[in-house]
Amino acid sequence: MIFFALVFVLGAFCLQQLPLLPSLYWAFLLLLCVLVYFQLRHSSQHALIYLKRFLFVLLGFLLGFFWAATFATIRLSDALPLDWENKPVEIVGVVASISEFTERGERFRFDVEKVLNREAVIPRHVSLSYYAPGSWSEAPPVRPLMISKFKAGERWQITVRLKRPHGTQNPHGFDFEAWALAENIRATGTIKAKSDNRKLQDFVWQPKYVVEHVRELIRQRISKVLADKPYSGIVQALVMGDDSQIVANDWQLFLRTGTSHLMSISGLHITMLSGLAFGLAGFIWRRIPMLVNRLPTRKAATAAGILVALLYALIAGFAVPTQRTLYMLIVFAIALWSGRQLLISQVLASALLLVVVLDPWAVIAPGFWLSFGAVVVLSYALGARVGITHWLKASLQTQWAVTIGMLPLLLIMFNQASIISPVANALAIPLISFVVTPLALFGSFLPFDAALHLSHQVLDACMRMLVWLNQLPDVVWQQHAPAGWTLIPAISGIIWLLLPRGIPMRWLGWLGILPMLLITPQRPVLGDMQVTVLDVGQGLSVVVQTATHTLLYDAGAKYSAQADAGGRIVLPYLQGEGVRRLDGFVVSHNDNDHSGGVHTVLTQMPAGWLASSLPESVELNSKVKHIKCFAGQKWVWDGVNFEMLYPQFESYENAALTDNNRSCVVKITSAAGSLLIAGDIEKSAEWALLEPDEGSQNFVSLKSDVLVAPHHGSKTSSSAEFIATVQPGLTIFTAGYLNRFKHPRPEVVTRYQEAGSQTLRSDYDGAVILNFVADNRVGGIKATGWREQSRRYWQDLY
């Protein structure tokens, strides 16, 4: 059973790594394996025993593989046709989830029941955003108002504009499209604000809508009782698994202290509630003889515990850690009812198999590996105990096992691990799990406001301790993204380190972890460079790496008060590449889509200097040397030449000059070729570059092998004269998918193509990675789109 579960999960995992789904006709191979296996099942010949074992392994792998493939084929068939993207469609359906509040409105899932446009084809499950009237004409509130226009279970007739699930694609970045597929969100869109959107029914009585309605009532109660409390969002997450209202600073604190696992519904919470129900039911049951005669107390108490665990799992949103705990409890309950004795490994394997059978995409979620991994580590490290261990010693052993055992997974998934995690968890786990969460649950389900207030007070004390710990020096180990193969020796090393005391040379286990820590990504050699034009949606961010230096040009947009491209895209890429310090940072101009992520980047990563055209009124990190960018600035890093071509220093005195036309224009030249980054300059600035001052060489120096197109391919830029002068062999357009500005303009793209330039687009190709290599054998410029390089079957081809 255990081995079958492991190879089944491996099969499902391998399917999720494919660029294209295999034809289901290959399932005949599975059928052939089944037939051969059953033919040999009763054979006792020695040679055939090994063949049967091999077929058993292959059978489990193929079952997992084609089980996941079948699910994927069915789910992908429910898709929004490209022809119906961004077109108004009138639909009827039911609000399928509680709303996630944003600064300007709300977001929720919607089950489509009927499409009123005759020829339209719309998926059954979509995610919709509603923006309050006037929300774009004024600054959004600091905290969103917790008042929902669309409530779970309501049936509405609305007009929407939809698009296929599409997210930014970058190395070391979050794959929104994979997440949307796993969550069965087959289109995203906005509700068109118009008067004929109307509610048709107050509530649709179906079990899943009833659950969401209960979740909504609980959230309303928490929001009402803990109004204006700083950690009400954390209490909400602990009670019902909805972490959408936890602010970014708190998430950063949890990540740095290694306590983020506590801020959602964990297995410990489920087990605690189930155990409480077990004890209470047993206490009552054994005092009623009639009930005891019908059913033994232990079995009745077990049934009550499982029922409470199931109900709470539903209220908590049924996340992977919740599923794992619930299924393990169910397996234990079945064993108790049937009188069987099970090993913890058998229970864990059963839960593992159940999770993947019900949700084949669970294997690509970090929570899946972290949740099961933690239980495996604890079972392995503590399973060989003999006798009674003092509680303090047991606690220290547990923290040591989890900290060391989870290190490889944390480094692979997040490129960092908290050094103070053992201390932080030793303090936080008892408070959160045995004080804060029980009080929050008691106050949420029953009309006792004092319990919620007390829960928040204890949580506030816990947060103060975490803040204090976070202020200690070097609390987080951050590093490059390890190569995948280093996970194998690392796990081997962990197994050796966690062996019982008395095993000689346990320290040799550290040797298995060393490759993960020491083998860094390869950087360019002297004279070469690697340039990554990141996919930040509608915006710009470019990372230039030479042999020993790193330059960042722009940091993308700020999406909300809690999120920006700097934190979500730029920093994960830099940290994944092993960059610990920026040698230089250029911010082209004062537009949100270029400078919105600057503050986050400067807060979390040191920079040698910052050059920009930002006005004095913009607040920047005072620890970073800030200079104005202007034509004539030059420097050389590792044999690569950098030159600022625009704006002129005198232009800062011209108040009439627009921010776009004050963009910092940088040309970078290596032995293999050159790159021109033009910011958002428009045609007037292009003409200024084409008309050099007396003695200037700018006219000659504009010619570049690669051009990051000015202003995302807007019709106000990329004049024919500018293109003819630059003569780019490759032009890269950075734009958001189906953006409202319609960048890049088709006529602009055509203009470049007619001039002989190849074109790439971040919305179609993802991040563009340029390798400038001067080697005589493999020299030149190689450009690769990240969507092509990391292709998965759920991604669209453009």
Side-chain angles (χ1 to χ4, degrees), residues 556-565 592-593 595-597:
K558 185 173 186 176
Y559 311 130
S560 67
Q562 303 298 329
D564 56 56
N592 176 59
D593 58 336
S595 62

mmCIF file of all heavy atoms in Angstrom, residues 556-565 592-593 595-597:
data_model
loop_
_atom_site.group_PDB
_atom_site.id
_atom_site.type_symbol
_atom_site.label_atom_id
_atom_site.label_comp_id
_atom_site.label_asym_id
_atom_site.label_seq_id
_atom_site.Cartn_x
_atom_site.Cartn_y
_atom_site.Cartn_z
ATOM 1 N N GLY A 556 8.657 47.762 -12.067
ATOM 2 C CA GLY A 556 7.266 47.411 -12.298
ATOM 3 C C GLY A 556 6.296 48.264 -11.508
ATOM 4 O O GLY A 556 6.663 49.267 -10.896
ATOM 5 N N ALA A 557 5.039 47.837 -11.515
ATOM 6 C CA ALA A 557 3.946 48.648 -10.983
ATOM 7 C C ALA A 557 3.597 48.288 -9.545
ATOM 8 O O ALA A 557 3.916 47.203 -9.053
ATOM 9 C CB ALA A 557 2.706 48.478 -11.861
ATOM 10 N N LYS A 558 2.926 49.220 -8.897
ATOM 11 C CA LYS A 558 2.305 48.968 -7.596
ATOM 12 C C LYS A 558 0.850 48.634 -7.846
ATOM 13 O O LYS A 558 0.105 49.409 -8.431
ATOM 14 C CB LYS A 558 2.425 50.203 -6.697
ATOM 15 C CG LYS A 558 1.921 49.986 -5.287
ATOM 16 C CD LYS A 558 2.225 51.184 -4.405
ATOM 17 C CE LYS A 558 1.839 50.909 -2.953
ATOM 18 N NZ LYS A 558 2.204 52.030 -2.069
ATOM 19 N N TYR A 559 0.420 47.434 -7.411
ATOM 20 C CA TYR A 559 -0.939 46.979 -7.671
ATOM 21 C C TYR A 559 -1.929 47.490 -6.628
ATOM 22 O O TYR A 559 -3.080 47.782 -6.942
ATOM 23 C CB TYR A 559 -0.994 45.451 -7.709
ATOM 24 C CG TYR A 559 0.061 44.816 -8.576
ATOM 25 C CD1 TYR A 559 0.849 43.777 -8.092
ATOM 26 C CD2 TYR A 559 0.288 45.256 -9.878
ATOM 27 C CE1 TYR A 559 1.821 43.184 -8.876
ATOM 28 C CE2 TYR A 559 1.258 44.663 -10.678
ATOM 29 C CZ TYR A 559 2.020 43.627 -10.166
ATOM 30 O OH TYR A 559 2.991 43.045 -10.936
ATOM 31 N N SER A 560 -1.478 47.536 -5.402
ATOM 32 C CA SER A 560 -2.339 47.962 -4.296
ATOM 33 C C SER A 560 -1.434 48.372 -3.144
ATOM 34 O O SER A 560 -0.207 48.314 -3.247
ATOM 35 C CB SER A 560 -3.273 46.823 -3.862
ATOM 36 O OG SER A 560 -2.529 45.765 -3.279
ATOM 37 N N ALA A 561 -2.053 48.767 -2.031
ATOM 38 C CA ALA A 561 -1.251 49.150 -0.864
ATOM 39 C C ALA A 561 -0.462 47.967 -0.317
ATOM 40 O O ALA A 561 0.535 48.142 0.375
ATOM 41 C CB ALA A 561 -2.168 49.721 0.223
ATOM 42 N N GLN A 562 -0.891 46.728 -0.640
ATOM 43 C CA GLN A 562 -0.261 45.543 -0.079
ATOM 44 C C GLN A 562 0.598 44.772 -1.067
ATOM 45 O O GLN A 562 1.275 43.819 -0.671
ATOM 46 C CB GLN A 562 -1.347 44.591 0.461
ATOM 47 C CG GLN A 562 -2.256 45.204 1.493
ATOM 48 C CD GLN A 562 -1.527 45.634 2.741
ATOM 49 O OE1 GLN A 562 -0.530 45.038 3.114
ATOM 50 N NE2 GLN A 562 -1.997 46.690 3.373
ATOM 51 N N ALA A 563 0.588 45.146 -2.345
ATOM 52 C CA ALA A 563 1.281 44.322 -3.335
ATOM 53 C C ALA A 563 1.826 45.182 -4.466
ATOM 54 O O ALA A 563 1.210 46.172 -4.865
ATOM 55 C CB ALA A 563 0.329 43.266 -3.901
ATOM 56 N N ASP A 564 3.002 44.794 -4.956
ATOM 57 C CA ASP A 564 3.582 45.451 -6.127
ATOM 58 C C ASP A 564 4.492 44.458 -6.840
ATOM 59 O O ASP A 564 4.817 43.384 -6.323
ATOM 60 C CB ASP A 564 4.352 46.714 -5.744
ATOM 61 C CG ASP A 564 5.450 46.464 -4.717
ATOM 62 O OD1 ASP A 564 6.319 45.606 -4.993
ATOM 63 O OD2 ASP A 564 5.445 47.107 -3.658
ATOM 64 N N ALA A 565 4.885 44.815 -8.060
ATOM 65 C CA ALA A 565 5.737 43.934 -8.854
ATOM 66 C C ALA A 565 7.107 43.756 -8.220
ATOM 67 O O ALA A 565 7.751 42.719 -8.393
ATOM 68 C CB ALA A 565 5.872 44.485 -10.272
ATOM 69 N N ASN A 592 3.773 54.916 -12.359
ATOM 70 C CA ASN A 592 3.553 53.769 -11.480
ATOM 71 C C ASN A 592 4.035 52.472 -12.093
ATOM 72 O O ASN A 592 4.616 51.626 -11.404
ATOM 73 C CB ASN A 592 2.064 53.655 -11.124
ATOM 74 C CG ASN A 592 1.775 52.415 -10.302
ATOM 75 O OD1 ASN A 592 2.315 52.223 -9.226
ATOM 76 N ND2 ASN A 592 0.923 51.535 -10.830
ATOM 77 N N ASP A 593 3.822 52.263 -13.407
ATOM 78 C CA ASP A 593 4.188 50.986 -14.006
ATOM 79 C C ASP A 593 5.699 50.788 -14.128
ATOM 80 O O ASP A 593 6.157 49.715 -14.510
ATOM 81 C CB ASP A 593 3.503 50.801 -15.365
ATOM 82 C CG ASP A 593 3.840 51.916 -16.341
ATOM 83 O OD1 ASP A 593 4.198 53.011 -15.898
ATOM 84 O OD2 ASP A 593 3.718 51.684 -17.561
ATOM 85 N N SER A 595 7.936 52.696 -11.580
ATOM 86 C CA SER A 595 8.518 53.014 -10.266
ATOM 87 C C SER A 595 7.685 52.503 -9.095
ATOM 88 O O SER A 595 8.057 52.705 -7.943
ATOM 89 C CB SER A 595 8.692 54.531 -10.125
ATOM 90 O OG SER A 595 7.437 55.195 -10.204
ATOM 91 N N GLY A 596 6.562 51.819 -9.359
ATOM 92 C CA GLY A 596 5.678 51.393 -8.279
ATOM 93 C C GLY A 596 6.296 50.404 -7.310
ATOM 94 O O GLY A 596 5.938 50.348 -6.137
ATOM 95 N N GLY A 597 7.261 49.588 -7.782
ATOM 96 C CA GLY A 597 7.863 48.584 -6.906
ATOM 97 C C GLY A 597 9.186 48.996 -6.302
ATOM 98 O O GLY A 597 9.840 48.183 -5.630
#
